[in-house]
Amino acid sequence: MGEKVFGQQNVGKGLLPFKASEDFAFFTKVRPGAFFFLSSARNEENPPMLHNSNFDFNDELIPKAVEFWYELALDRLGLKL
């Protein structure tokens, strides 16, 4: 779904599997799920990490992120609009 919305050149899979400190694994014991990262940093060399006071959120990503969630929901519900 990411390739459809963001373009193949903007979707990375090279760092997988990625271990994160998250409790999401407990949810997937009950219901199938997936964990992914939707980057919101501006494209710059050595940007500050998320949760850093110098992090500059890319507001221009919001419409594409909404489109991604919309397309994902339609796909999972088996709907074609």
Side-chain angles (χ1 to χ4, degrees), residues 1-2 14:
M1 189 59 55

Side-chain angles (χ1 to χ4, degrees), residues 7-69:
Q8 187 174 14
Q9 71 281 6
N10 294 315
V11 176
K13 298 178 184 176
L15 298 176
L16 298 176
F18 183 84
K19 294 182 180 182
S21 177
E22 192 61 53
D23 291 334
F24 187 73
F26 293 107
F27 292 107
T28 60
K29 289 182 179 182
V30 179
R31 296 278 189 234
F35 196 86
F36 63 91
F37 298 95
L38 181 61
S39 178
S40 58
R42 297 193 180 276
N43 189 12
E44 60 184 65
E45 191 173 326
N46 299 318
M49 297 295 289
L50 187 62
H51 306 295
N52 180 307
S53 61
N54 294 316
F55 183 82
D56 184 16
F57 182 82
N58 185 355
D59 297 284
E60 295 172 7
L61 177 66
I62 295 171
K64 277 295 196 187
V66 170
E67 180 185 351
F68 173 77
W69 284 110

